[in-house]
Structure formats: structure tokens, C-alpha cells
Amino acid sequence: MNKDVSLMAHLMRRAGFGATRNELEGYLEDGYEATVDNLLDPGESGHMPDDIIRRYHVDQSELRQLDGAGAYWLYRMLTTSNPLEEKLALFWHGLFATGYAKLNQARALLNQIEMFRHYGFGSFRDLLVELSRDPAMILWLDNNENHKEAINENYGRELLELFSMGIGNYSEDDIKECAKAFTGWTLGNAEYMSVRASKDSIWPYGRIAWHYEYRADDHDGGEKKFLGKVGNFNGEDIVDIIVTQEATARFLSTRLFQYFASDEVDSDGELVISGMMEAYFQSGYKVSAVLRSLFNSDYFKSDKCMYSRVKGPVESVVGTVRLAGTYQEPTLDVHSLWAQTMFMGQGLLAPPTVEGWHEGVEWIDSGSLVERINFAAKELSDPTKDGVKDIIRRVTSNQKDLSDPEKLVDSCLDYMGPIQVQPDTREGLIEFAESQGAVQIQNGQPDENASIQVARLIGMIASTREYQLA
Amino acid sequence: MVNTNTLSIRYLKTIGIVNNGFNGRGFANPYDVAFGPDGEIFVLNRCDPARRSAIRVGVCNLAEEYLYEFGYGFGDGDGQMTLPVAMAFDAEGRLLITDEHTSRVNIYSNKGDVVSKWGVKGDSEGEFNGPAGIAVDSAGLVYVCDQRNHRIQKYTSEGKFLSQWGVRGSEPGEFNLPWGIGVDISDNVYVADWRNDRVQKFDSSGQYLETIGGSGEGSLNRPSGVSVDRNGNIYVTDWGNERLQVFDSNGKAISSMRGEATLSDWAKDFFESNQDEMETREISNLNPDIPDHLNTPYHISSQTESYFWGPVSVRIDSNNRLYVVESNRHRIQIYEIE
């Protein structure tokens, strides 16, 4: 297996949703570090145009309900030319987990995701300020109930505990002072919007979208003491203090490491995280610098890092569909793809709590595993799908015969990833290939039966344990 | 209210409330209107696949009485619809409805009985790939925007193919995913050439006459629907700009409207029994200033309840009233033209 191809495939499984061989060949022309740079600073991304989506899918034009909104984001993931933009937005969505259940406002969630796209690579300071102004977050953590005369600590607490520093790095008093600084940060027409949200009201004319509003008369302008500093702090000042903390650099770097590199952090991982923290401070808190430090580290490129993460359900669905080459234009049943993410335990735009999803091996239980395998196998064992056709074409081209099942299995593994599998998995695949009989090639072309045989083998590879690892 | 030297457009009222179900008054992503002989307003509810059981035509009148509704479910069986786009009455008073998924035209009586259908998917004469807008001229001939074949087809009302014009492209007489279509009193044909951001005018044989709204003042962004009044003024639902754009008979832009919806009687009834929502609504500013990053026509309309949002069709009844159908707001804004 070619090492460069293998490394690039690894990068794209982590910084994206996997890549087809065509895509890999393009990235390989640029080289590894240039690809990292392009992923981190891609400019305007290409994807299925909004007008095309909105004309076809009325629900994705209105974005009133969760399923349509989830499908809308999936289209972006499935067709984007910059997969890291979406992968990182998905990371922020898990970290700053905001869900539909309490808000009943899908558009506000998608506006939040758009904010992640816009600010997600830049300064962590700007991102936290925008997060604090985000209407969905404000209602999700009750900051619309955080008043000058009666504070509500919910957002202040989670900002410190779950979004920036982690528990043990601040006091209960810091939480209170933080909450005071964010009084008056609310959403427009907060009273009406919160009644509508609580009743899931769509009447009379569908939902009304939300926007941020600062109410100066409801802001506590008094002196506050926060993390040892004293002043008449407003929310931005609090964020300014938070981002200078070592705990913040460690928290952010560790979470990015776990999402992009490895579920577990060992001593080698700690060294990488130290480098990421350094990049954080040197760059003025830039997320792209932290990620560049990670992707270019020897650890990230090592065998140890490869296949050390369990794919999340959304990664798994999007990666499979991208490989199959389907849903590249508006498709009637796309909302059922969103439903798949729900069945597999990661309903997009519907995290279970503010803590997000429990990741790593916790993604896998017997029910969700069956969903994953069934989905991937069905999607990839269909020889009529463009992406599957391309794999079959590559596997069979320039072959006089494919009667050697070992060669056939290795070739399929190569063009599907490459995917590395354990020896016992490979044995099982070879047995399966043998049981189908030799694949017949005539004049360099597979006949219909040969295509079906190769597609079945591709589907079988999609059912392996290794296919679920990134 | 719009006043020019020759034209006055006065807001009259709004009809509608969102209703996902097949259970009485209200609309679900309405996509088009057509007018019956006795003042009935037929409203085509496209719905969406996840709430598809409610796909139907609802019939009401200007007094906001909900008269009846009909539908035969989601699918491709007789009378069923999957992705309906537009409708028009033919010369015999039958309702023709296009369906861009099944690539056919369904025919119903004005009471909703299933009469017939025509069309199959394809790109030959008489076949469709995603039929969208539909209009009927004074001779009873039917024009259909064959969206993904980028052409206009002309039929008898029985579905007999007569002629076609247009290919994919952006030159005069060419199309890119055309959507709405209208005819004037001289049977000239106007096509909302959606992805070319213009309306094109043809004579009834398909001879190109002129382009409207292609550039300059009143230039269009993804126009969805077009209608022409008895004086030749042209009304376009400028979908991408979330507005109604009006041109005079020479194609000169004379007015641009963002909408001024008020509460329909059905909406007022809703608030009667939901006082908590009414009270908090009354202290709200429903015409807010929008932050910069959401400052696009689409986002502004999503936050400004009175504005057009997702205007997909504009039609004129025999009393010179103008109906703008808003898919995303589940309602119809009605204006009087003088």
C-alpha cells in the first residue's frame, strides 16, 4: 500500500469525511502540508447551491422543522469542496451543544452552524463572543432570563465549565461574576420568542427567526471580580480574560486532539497537546494554528494515530454517502438520511444535552452498530451508484482476470480508502470473495455479474469493524 | 400602497394560517392559486415529504370561508401528487396540476374528482423532466415550463402535444430551469427563466420578443412566477430578492414591494385562544433591524413577518386582484390593482 496515499487518506478521514480515490489524487498533487494549509484556509467553498436546494425542498427553504434542517446541513457536508469546514462546524456543534428540543427553532440552530463556519477557524476569542451573542445559545442556556436584578448563572457556568476552561479552574464566585457580565445579552422580542419556543408554536405564519439584542438597561454595569481581575466588566471583557488562561488553551487543545487525532490521550499525545497550546498563544488564540500544529505533528502522521478513533455516526453516514457518490443533487428522501444519524445515536442539531454526545467507543452499542452496518453495506453494495462504479472500474481496469480472491480483496480495500484491516478480517473477506466465485473480466471490462460480485465485496468491506474506524 | 401615473396597487388582506394536516382551514407550503367560476380560491399545498400525507388542494373564498379540500395522498397513483408545482384551469373548467417529480399533469374537476392525467418522464416531444409553471391562453391552449429540459411545451387541454421551444442556455430564447409562466390578453407568453434571472416574453408560437428584468433597475434574482394584468403591466415574484417586482408593458421597472401582510381572520382566531402569545406579540417589534451577518433578503424575510418570504407565484383574478403566494409563510397576500 502506497504510504503517501495512505497518509493522505488518514488526513482526509480526520480533517474530512474520507475521500474518494479521485479526490485523493487531487490532494496528492498538492502534497500533505499544502493540503493541510488549503483545508485550513480554503476561501469560499463549493457545495450544492442554496437556491437549487430551496426550490426543490420547501421544508429546507422554510427550515421550520428539525428533519429538514438536519438534511440541509447534510447536503452541505455531502457536497462541500472543503470538508474540514463542515467537520470543524460539527466539532463546535458537539462542544457548544445546542439542541432543537428546547428551542423548537431549527433556523436558529442553522444560523449558529453558519456562525461556526465563519468564526470556527479564527480567533477563539471572537468565537466565544459570537457564541455568547448567538440567539439559539441564549435561549438554550436561559441567558434571556439573566437579568440585572436577578441573575441566571446557567450560561456563565457552562461558558467556563463546558465551553472554555473546564471544571476546577475557577470558583463559584467567578461563575456569578461572569453571569453578571452577561446580563442584558438577549434576543430580539425575547418574551414573544420564548413563549413561542416553549409552546412549539408555528402559528400563524410559521416560525419567526431570531437575532441578538443587547439591552443596556438590563445590564449590570457594576464592578466585578473575575479570575483575579477587577473592573466594570461586560461580556467581551470576560471572554478577553478567559482566552488568556492556560486552562483554556489546554481545554481547547485537548478537545481538538480527541476529536481529530485520538479518543485517548497518552504521554505522546500530551506532548502534541503542549505544541498545540503553544500555537494557540503564539497565534493570538487562532484555532487554525492549533489545528495546523496537530495535523503536521509526527504523532498525527504515525501508525499509532491511524484507526485510533471510532467514527461518529454523522462521519460514518456522510463518509459512506460521499464514497457512494449519491445525493449530489436534490433527492426526495434526503430527510431519511438525517433520520439515520438519529438512529445511530447522533441526531444532527439534536444533541441530548449541553454536554453534547459521548464519543469514542460509546458511539457503539448493539443497536446503533446494526444501523451503521446495514446503512453502509446497503449504500456501497449497489453497483449502479456512481462512486461504487468508480471503485469497480479501478479494481477491474487493466485486469485480464480477477480469479485470485486475495488480489481482489486487496484491490477493493485499496480503492475504498485505502483501508487497513486486521489479518483475520482480511481472511474473512477472502473467504467471502471465494464463495462468490471468480470475477470474470472480458476485454478489460467487468460484465454485469462481475460488477455485482465486486459491489457485494465492497458492501462486505463496509460491514467490517475497521470500516467504522477513522 | 403603490401609486404611479398609471397604476395603483393597494394592499387588501391576507388569507392563511399554517396547517400541516388534512383537517380544515390553513395551508401547508402553498405553491400556487387558481380561481374558480364562483369566487373560489383554489390553493395548491405542496407540503414536504416528511409531512406528505397533507398534500392537497384547499378551496376558500375572499371572505376567508374555507369551503372544501381534496387530495389523494402522496405518490404517483391516480390523483396523487409528489412534488406539485403549479396549477391552472383549462377552458372546460378543469384544474390542471403539474408535478415535477412524477413529470406529469394531473387533471381534476373543480370539485376535486380525478379526471385524467398526461405526461411521462423523458426529453422527447410530449415528455417532461420536472414540469413546473402552467398557463392557459384565451384559445384554451396549455403552456408548460419543462424545467429540467429547459424548454416550453404547448399542448391542447387534452394533453396533445402541439409544439415546443427553447434549449438550455442563457441567450435570448434559451432557458435555465424555467419555473413560472403567464399569458397576457393577447396570448403573449411570459416565462420566469429562473436561473437566468430574467423573464422572457414570446408570442404564442414561441417567437422571442423581449427580456424583462434581466439587468438594471428591477433586475431579478431567481424569479418564480409571472402574471400580466389587462393593461399589460407585468408582475413577477422575485423569489431570490423576496419581493414583488412590477414592470410596465414596455418592461420598465415601476415598482418593487416587500409585502405588508396582516393577520388573517384565521390568525386572529388563533390569537383569541392564545392570549399569552398575543400579549407578548403586542410588545414586540416585528420589523426589527437585522444584524449584518443576517442582512440578506432571505434572512430579513425570515425575521420580518409582514414581508414576502418564499414568494413562489403571482396570479391575477378576474376582478383585477393580485395574489402573491408565500410558501414559507403559508399564506396569500392579496392586493387590488387600479
Side-chain angles (χ1 to χ4, degrees), chain A residues 49 51 54-56 58 61-62 64 67 107 111 189 192 199 201-205 207 209-211, chain B residues 18 46-47 50-51 147 177-178 195 222 262 264 274 276-277 281 285 298 302-303 328-331:
Chain A
D51 61 331
R54 289 182 46 217
R55 175 169 173 181
Y56 187 90
V58 286
S61 181
E62 187 191 359
R64 168 162 46 110
D67 50 3
R107 167 169 307 282
N111 287 351
N189 303 319
Y192 185 32
K199 295 172 71 178
S201 176
I202 56 172
W203 297 281
Y205 301 137
R207 304 217 195 272
W210 299 342
H211 61 275
Chain B
V18 58
R46 176 163 161 129
C47 300
R51 280 152 286 279
Q147 180 190 174
L177 299 171
R195 230 164 184 256
R222 307 290 190 263
T262 50
S264 66
N274 289 274
D276 53 346
E277 289 187 55
R281 180 186 176 90
N285 172 13
Y298 173 71
S302 77
Q303 305 223 4
N328 291 351
R329 288 266 174 245
H330 315 276
R331 68 187 180 195

Side-chain angles (χ1 to χ4, degrees), chain B residues 239-286:
Chain B
W239 183 84
N241 286 321
E242 307 287 356
R243 66 183 181 181
L244 181 76
Q245 185 62 44
V246 188
F247 302 88
D248 68 14
S249 56
N250 298 314
K252 179 173 174 272
I254 52 174
S255 171
S256 182
M257 299 156 64
R258 286 303 301 271
E260 46 190 300
T262 50
L263 293 181
S264 66
D265 286 350
W266 306 343
K268 285 176 193 159
D269 287 349
F270 168 79
F271 283 118
E272 276 292 307
S273 49
N274 289 274
Q275 286 294 319
D276 53 346
E277 289 187 55
M278 193 65 217
E279 285 161 14
T280 49
R281 180 186 176 90
E282 280 170 348
I283 58 166
S284 294
N285 172 13
L286 296 177

Side-chain angles (χ1 to χ4, degrees), chain A residues 182-200:
Chain A
F182 282 103
T183 50
W185 292 49
T186 189
L187 68 162
N189 303 319
E191 295 80 3
Y192 185 32
M193 297 307 150
S194 69
V195 170
R196 286 172 63 98
S198 68
K199 295 172 71 178
D200 190 10

